[in-house]
Each structure stands twice: as C-alpha cells, then as structure tokens.
Amino acid sequence: MQVRITKRQTYITVIPRVVRRLTCSRTPALPPPRSAVGTDKMAAQDVLELNHKLLAAIGAGDYATYASMCDPSLTCFEPEAVGHLVEGLDFHKYYFTMPSPPPAPDAPKPHVLNTMASPHVRVIGDKCAVVSYIRLTQKMVAGAPVTVQAEETRVWEKKDDGRWVHVHMHRSLIK
C-alpha cells in the first residue's frame, strides 16, 4: 500500500509488490481522516483502514475476505442493481465468481488499481461510521488503460464483539 498526501486529497492505492519495492521501502501509516476528533479519530482511522482492505479485496477478486468483512444482510444501491435495493451477499458473490475467458498466453497479468480520493469519515456515536469518497478504478480494457469514477458511501457498524462490519453501500458512476 502506498499513501500520498497533498493539501486537497489523500490517495490510498494498492500497487503490485514489484512497483512498491521501487517506490518506497516501507508502508507508511494511513493519515487521519478529515472531520474526525478525539476518540472518534481512532475509530475513523480503523474504519478507513478496513474500507481500504475491502476495496483491495474487491480489486483482487477475493470474495472470502470481502464476505468476512460484510454483514450477511448487507444492503446496497449500485449501478448493477439498476435502481433496486439489494440485500444480502449473493448478488455480490455473482460478480466475484463470474467465469471469465482464459487469458492469452502472452497477455499481461490482470491489474486493477482502486484509489479513494478525498475520503471523509463521519463517526456517529460509538457504533456507526460513514465513509464517503470518490473511487477511481484503473484497469486495462482491450489493451488500453481505462479509469472509471464513482461516488461511494459505505456504512460500517460496530458489533457487540467490537468488530466493525460493512452494512450498507451506495455507489453512483460519474460520467
């Protein structure tokens, strides 16, 4: 993981191990999210790190990690749901387990890069946190680099055992 901080934006990126060795010798800690104070700052930091881990699991196609971080009754509004509220993990599992054609022998390894731009965390009480950001997804499509932008909001709930779980998300594509 590489973190770059500018005055306006915090970028959190997942990059290949080879590139990471060339660009930094250690993984820096994530900076504190904006709009967090006091003990909320620690909760906000925890949730931001979990959100990053969730996006990394999505980018890697790691359904086991994704499902372990989500409540089984996860709800969402997203473009793939075509205007419907979706409840549960089956809808999401389909996209993780969807068969894809085998790559050509000389094709480069698939690479997806997710970036959270300007993350904002709002901690509500001691059991809820909302993370909003612009998600940039970079990938190769038919041999050409493509970047897709989406506005995302993810809601995290702290369970009685102290573990944060992802309970709701809303994603809208930016055209």
Side-chain angles (χ1 to χ4, degrees):
M1 177 175 60
Q2 176 186 16
V3 178
R4 290 181 287 157
I5 304 170
T6 65
K7 285 186 178 178
R8 285 192 233 152
Q9 297 178 325
T10 302
Y11 293 97
I12 302 169
T13 58
V14 179
I15 56 179
R17 196 170 293 193
V18 173
V19 175
R20 182 170 51 226
R21 275 190 239 124
L22 295 173
T23 59
C24 64
S25 59
R26 66 180 183 82
T27 303
L30 292 171
R34 297 181 295 127
S35 301
V37 293
T39 56
D40 287 352
K41 197 176 263 189
M42 290 185 341
Q45 183 70 21
D46 290 345
V47 169
L48 192 60
E49 288 173 7
L50 286 170
N51 206 80
H52 177 262
K53 184 178 175 183
L54 186 80
L55 291 180
I58 293 168
D62 181 356
Y63 181 73
T65 298
Y66 178 82
S68 74
M69 299 178 74
C70 295
D71 189 87
S73 66
L74 173 74
T75 55
C76 74
F77 287 105
E78 59 182 317
E80 293 84 357
V82 288
H84 296 277
L85 175 66
V86 172
E87 184 172 355
L89 293 174
D90 287 345
F91 181 84
H92 306 279
K93 185 176 183 178
Y94 172 81
Y95 290 98
F96 278 92
T97 60
M98 191 169 56
S100 57
D106 60 343
K109 184 178 177 185
H111 175 66
V112 176
L113 178 68
N114 283 302
T115 303
M116 279 192 288
S118 301
H120 178 271
V121 178
R122 178 177 299 267
V123 177
I124 304 167
D126 55 354
K127 294 251 182 198
C128 181
V130 179
V131 182
S132 357
Y133 51 93
I134 301 295
R135 177 175 163 191
L136 302 174
T137 302
Q138 296 168 275
K139 56 189 173 182
M140 297 295 285
V141 175
V146 173
T147 301
V148 178
Q149 296 182 83
E151 299 167 325
E152 285 194 358
T153 301
R154 294 185 184 266
V155 179
W156 293 81
E157 178 184 354
K158 193 171 193 178
K159 296 295 187 177
D160 292 336
D161 64 2
R163 186 174 61 97
W164 287 98
V165 294
H166 182 227
V167 295
H168 179 78
M169 65 94 55
H170 188 122
R171 182 166 47 95
S172 300
L173 293 176
I174 301 172
K175 297 185 186 204

